[in-house]
Amino acid sequence: MLLVATFFLMGITQTHAENPALQSVLSQKGLQKVSHWATDWLQGDLSTIMLPEVKGSVSIFLGTIYYSLHDMTIVRCDLPEPAVSFSEGTGLSLQLQGLSIAITGKWNTDFGIIHDGGWFDLAVYTINLNALLEFQSTEEHFSITTAMCNADVGHVQINFHGGASQVSHNDILLLFIQICPQFQKGIENIDKYLAANDVIQVDSYVYLNLSLTDSPVVFDNGFKLNVKGEFYSVKSPSEPPFSPHYFKLPWQEDYMLSVGVSEFCINSAAYAYLKSGVLSINITDGMIPKTSPIHLNTSQFGSLVPQLPKKYPNMEMEVVLYATDTPLISFNQTVINVELSAAAKFSAIKSPTHLIPLFSLDMQYSFCAKVYTDGQLLKGALEMKNLTMQLGSTEIDKFDIAPFENLMKTVMNSFVLPKINAQLKEGLPLPSVKGFSLNKSMMTIENGFLFLAADITSPFQSLK
Ligand SMILES: *[C@@H]1O[C@H](CO)[C@@H](O)[C@H](O)[C@H]1NC(C)=O
Ligand SMILES: *[C@@H]1O[C@H](CO)[C@@H](O)[C@H](O)[C@H]1NC(C)=O
Ligand SMILES: *[C@@H]1O[C@H](CO)[C@@H](O)[C@H](O)[C@H]1NC(C)=O
Ligand SMILES: *[C@@H]1O[C@H](CO)[C@@H](O)[C@H](O)[C@H]1NC(C)=O
Ligand SMILES: *[C@@H]1O[C@H](CO)[C@@H](O)[C@H](O)[C@H]1NC(C)=O
Ligand SMILES: *[C@@H]1O[C@H](CO)[C@@H](O)[C@H](O)[C@H]1NC(C)=O
């Protein structure tokens, strides 16, 4: 019985395995582009790289020669574009054909008490490399390892200059030209970088957890990452009272990148900001435009709250406006719904340090929005569906809040929303990450998630 119960519980925890709030697929088209950028970048950057010192020893019949090759720089490199393709179920295969490289550097040898040194130049022609990289999830982060590597070298030329003695070139060369170990080291560095970057610090209040919820999935035409995609408050990280739902990403082969962002991802951001205490603003009369018909002044508020100017004539007021609950966003076929609960606390300012509490209002807003991308811009329209208001508390007797509600509706519909919509019609620039920006893109609102398919422009591309 216990066994059955345990098994059943295990089943439950299994099905409660975390659903990814972010899903992304890099297509074959995307892979080709990434490989192209990497080749360009390497080709341009190799000449500035100082190669690490190579040390070793060679046994000859008289004893052992210890040598070091150092201060090496790449003076020329012909890097052909590799052929890359996804290897279903594993990762990616990479074939590089005809890499040639020329290096200069200094050499030193120690053979017993004989020390010698000079400089050298080295040219390696027609390196062919054939490698298979494996994509995995290691401790919940995306990791790349070298599963297989073969390399051969067509032709090598080395000239040692200076020094009295000459070393046995071929032995040193065999040790030095270790293409696969060097390649493997490069992949290890990329892997270390990935392991150290599974969190994005958005600002000083929230961060985004990018750990994987399961292993990367490699198809023959793309590869998919399922990412936790949950925002946390830096100050007080905690789980929100809602959880991610499963969604199926309808990825597009003819775009480089497809991304699905679930409601949970967005709502966890709202929750994290709420927890960080930043969804709050103090509004003073100084912040209201001079031309506004309404000012934060007890005399002027007489039309809304008749008893107010009688009790506190002619005083400036302050409003603390804050979210009382997590703003909830939902994606529902073509529209985004936003539910907002807020409170406004009104006080009269007797002196900068002495505020007299007056009353507070509880408000529920409901908005709906349509958004789309147009090139590099995010465009759309926002509409208020509903606004309700209640008197939360009052220190100055009860009053009818209908005039307040009507005023708020007028302010929203005649001032706030037209301003936001004018901006949304013109478009907001989509963020570009480290110089990478969207070129062609398509965005749709699906049931429970937002879908974006895009081609990316690299910052290196514009240099050409
Ligand atoms: C991110 O989420 C994973 C999985 O829930 C967790 O193990 C890891 O500690 C989290 N990292 C941070 C920095 O919150
Ligand atoms: C806003 O007002 C509240 C209450 O009046 C006060 O505690 C808080 O410090 C104010 N915040 C700012 C940024 O002025
Ligand atoms: C409040 O408004 C009245 C009339 O609109 C104005 O005369 C008065 O100076 C204002 N008081 C403050 C404190 O701003
Ligand atoms: C989603 O939209 C459909 C029609 O477009 C509507 O019938 C349904 O009630 C909406 N669901 C939610 C949760 O808003
Ligand atoms: C607005 O919200 C209130 C309460 O939240 C609800 O009773 C009312 O039916 C809503 N009105 C519309 C038009 O959705
Ligand atoms: C978008 O990509 C096309 C084709 O690759 C290119 O001609 C165009 O300049 C790119 N546009 C931007 C804004 O980068």
Side-chain angles (χ1 to χ4, degrees):
M1 188 58 210
L2 187 66
L3 205 66
V4 173
T6 312
F7 188 73
F8 188 61
L9 281 175
M10 272 172 62
I12 289 177
T13 45
Q14 287 280 305
T15 54
H16 276 230
E18 216 164 9
N19 283 322
L22 282 178
Q23 297 181 24
S24 75
V25 171
L26 184 76
S27 67
Q28 176 70 30
K29 181 182 175 186
L31 177 66
Q32 227 83 54
K33 257 288 158 42
V34 170
S35 155
H36 181 73
W37 294 333
T39 310
D40 273 5
W41 175 76
L42 271 176
Q43 174 81 62
D45 250 39
L46 277 178
S47 57
T48 64
I49 292 173
M50 185 66 95
L51 296 173
E53 185 175 7
V54 175
K55 276 183 170 174
S57 60
V58 189
S59 295
I60 56 172
F61 62 94
L62 290 171
T64 305
I65 301 174
Y66 296 92
Y67 67 86
S68 95
L69 304 173
H70 52 95
D71 292 328
M72 290 184 286
T73 50
I74 296 174
V75 288
R76 206 191 135 89
C77 170
D78 288 319
L79 181 63
E81 196 156 324
V84 284
S85 60
F86 290 111
S87 162
E88 198 168 349
T90 311
L92 82 91
S93 82
L94 183 147
Q95 271 131 20
L96 183 65
Q97 229 133 59
L99 164 68
S100 296
I101 197 163
I103 293 167
T104 63
K106 294 180 179 155
W107 63 271
N108 286 94
T109 55
D110 295 315
F111 180 52
I113 54 160
I114 307 167
H115 309 293
D116 208 352
W119 58 280
F120 71 93
D121 46 62
L122 166 75
V124 189
Y125 301 101
T126 350
I127 301 173
N128 295 328
L129 176 85
N130 198 344
L132 180 67
L133 300 178
E134 193 171 355
F135 295 166
Q136 283 166 314
S137 162
T138 307
E139 286 167 359
E140 294 166 331
H141 67 80
F142 177 53
S143 89
I144 304 183
T145 51
T146 313
M148 189 274 289
C149 178
N150 286 319
D152 57 69
V153 172
H155 177 61
V156 181
Q157 230 175 25
I158 188 163
N159 293 306
F160 288 98
H161 309 275
S165 59
Q166 288 290 306
V167 233
S168 161
H169 302 164
N170 287 341
D171 289 341
I172 289 182
L173 282 175
L174 279 181
L175 282 163
F176 178 51
I177 306 164
Q178 299 166 322
I179 305 293
C180 275
Q182 292 297 332
F183 176 79
Q184 213 158 332
K185 227 177 254 169
I187 297 297
E188 276 165 23
N189 284 337
I190 293 175
D191 190 53
K192 268 186 215 144
Y193 176 81
L194 291 171
N197 284 277
D198 61 352
V199 162
I200 292 181
Q201 187 74 42
V202 181
D203 52 30
S204 56
Y205 306 110
V206 306
Y207 69 89
L208 174 62
N209 186 327
L210 288 178
S211 68
L212 300 186
T213 56
D214 40 80
S215 297
V217 188
V218 186
F219 315 109
D220 64 345
N221 57 353
F223 103 94
K224 178 160 191 268
L225 289 178
N226 289 336
V227 177
K228 179 168 168 135
E230 182 172 350
F231 288 88
Y232 288 97
S233 156
V234 172
K235 205 168 68 183
S236 57
S238 62
E239 294 298 326
F242 40 81
S243 50
H245 296 297
Y246 174 78
F247 68 95
K248 189 167 170 16
L249 186 73
W251 68 281
Q252 302 270 325
E253 215 175 324
D254 42 343
Y255 285 88
M256 288 162 60
L257 191 69
S258 297
V259 180
V261 182
S262 78
E263 290 167 356
F264 176 81
C265 175
I266 309 282
N267 287 327
S268 75
Y271 180 76
Y273 278 112
L274 183 75
K275 283 275 144 187
S276 304
V278 290
L279 299 185
S280 156
I281 180 174
N282 290 7
I283 304 169
T284 53
D285 197 47
M287 292 157 75
I288 292 173
K290 289 267 182 293
T291 53
S292 164
I294 309 288
H295 279 275
L296 287 174
N297 176 323
T298 49
S299 306
Q300 292 202 359
F301 264 64
S303 56
L304 298 167
V305 190
Q307 67 269 42
L308 184 58
K310 291 186 191 122
K311 209 159 179 201
Y312 301 108
N314 207 12
M315 284 169 82
E316 223 182 281
M317 299 195 301
E318 187 196 82
V319 185
V320 181
L321 184 66
Y322 59 99
T324 47
D325 204 349
T326 311
L328 279 184
I329 289 126
S330 61
F331 297 124
N332 182 13
Q333 263 129 31
T334 76
V335 295
I336 304 177
N337 295 309
V338 183
E339 305 291 331
L340 257 173
S341 299
K345 263 190 194 155
F346 289 79
S347 314
I349 305 174
K350 184 149 196 222
S351 75
T353 52
H354 187 188
L355 298 182
I356 305 164
L358 300 173
F359 56 92
S360 74
L361 300 175
D362 292 332
M363 299 170 284
Q364 292 82 38
Y365 293 88
S366 151
F367 298 98
C368 85
K370 291 201 171 186
V371 292
Y372 59 96
T373 56
D374 181 8
Q376 309 263 19
L377 297 174
L378 180 74
K379 296 185 173 180
L382 184 68
E383 187 191 317
M384 190 166 74
K385 284 201 306 194
N386 199 357
L387 163 65
T388 54
M389 212 181 251
Q390 299 88 34
L391 187 61
S393 64
T394 176
E395 318 282 328
I396 53 164
D397 297 333
K398 284 216 165 97
F399 54 93
D400 179 19
I401 58 151
F404 244 116
E405 200 175 288
N406 290 335
L407 174 72
M408 189 52 105
K409 279 182 184 157
T410 309
V411 167
M412 288 301 292
N413 286 323
S414 312
F415 299 101
V416 180
L417 289 175
K419 206 156 193 177
I420 293 175
N421 280 323
Q423 189 77 63
L424 280 174
K425 199 169 170 198
E426 242 175 58
L428 302 168
L430 287 164
S432 92
V433 179
K434 294 191 173 160
F436 288 88
S437 53
L438 299 190
N439 183 334
K440 193 173 73 159
S441 69
M442 175 193 94
M443 188 161 93
T444 58
I445 313 286
E446 305 287 332
N447 229 343
F449 66 101
L450 187 138
F451 176 67
L452 176 74
D455 282 346
I456 313 289
T457 311
S458 141
F460 314 119
Q461 203 161 298
S462 54
L463 301 179
K464 298 184 81 185

